[in-house]
Amino acid sequence: MDNRDAVKLKPSVYYKLNEKLALNNSFLIGREFKGGYDDYELIELEPGFGYKLRDDFGMGINYFFKWGQTSNERFTERERFFKPYVWKSFADLGLELSLWGEIGPYSNNNGARHNNTKFGITGNKTLTETLKVVGEVNYKREEQKSSKKDIDVTFVMLGLQYSF
């Protein structure tokens, strides 16, 4: 959409406290290369917990933090919001799907405050004991208060996940 390439690394940790309750956390560090604009560096942290209602169905909530700035430090932004989700496992297909949402404000150093509403679906398909195909599709509506306009963004991602 705005001619940017990115390099991002996102390790995650999942720890079962018992048969029903688990803690999870992901950490993303990345850099977006925006061509004629200043590069954008970011760090995201997303701790949370999940609760298994049945062997094939559960729910949880994460808390999302993001810090980002351009390489010349002229632009910085901060995001913080809750991210509830529900998941469903289709064990016979090796497939797991998760529906989630993000609702909340964020701000930047230009004094602008925006409302953010994002909904998505994430999935993973087991290929081997250690390798999965992962994917995500989401839609975001960003209400920019300063310019009084809305921006719609659709995101699609496909990747590989290695577990050890």
Side-chain angles (χ1 to χ4, degrees), residues 38-97:
D38 294 318
D39 294 345
Y40 179 74
E41 300 161 341
L42 65 138
I43 295 172
E44 295 177 358
L45 185 63
E46 191 173 328
F49 72 92
Y51 186 77
K52 185 178 0 176
L53 296 167
R54 298 186 321 238
D55 284 343
D56 66 342
F57 181 74
M59 57 199 267
I61 191 161
N62 294 347
Y63 191 69
F64 180 85
F65 302 93
K66 177 182 175 184
W67 301 272
Q69 69 181 26
T70 55
S71 54
N72 64 8
E73 299 183 14
R74 287 188 190 154
F75 177 78
T76 62
E77 66 181 350
R78 306 292 181 260
E79 297 180 31
R80 294 181 301 272
F81 44 80
F82 286 100
K83 187 175 182 178
Y85 63 91
V86 295
W87 60 267
K88 170 79 171 130
S89 177
F90 303 92
D92 53 331
L93 300 174
L95 179 66
E96 189 171 288
L97 298 174

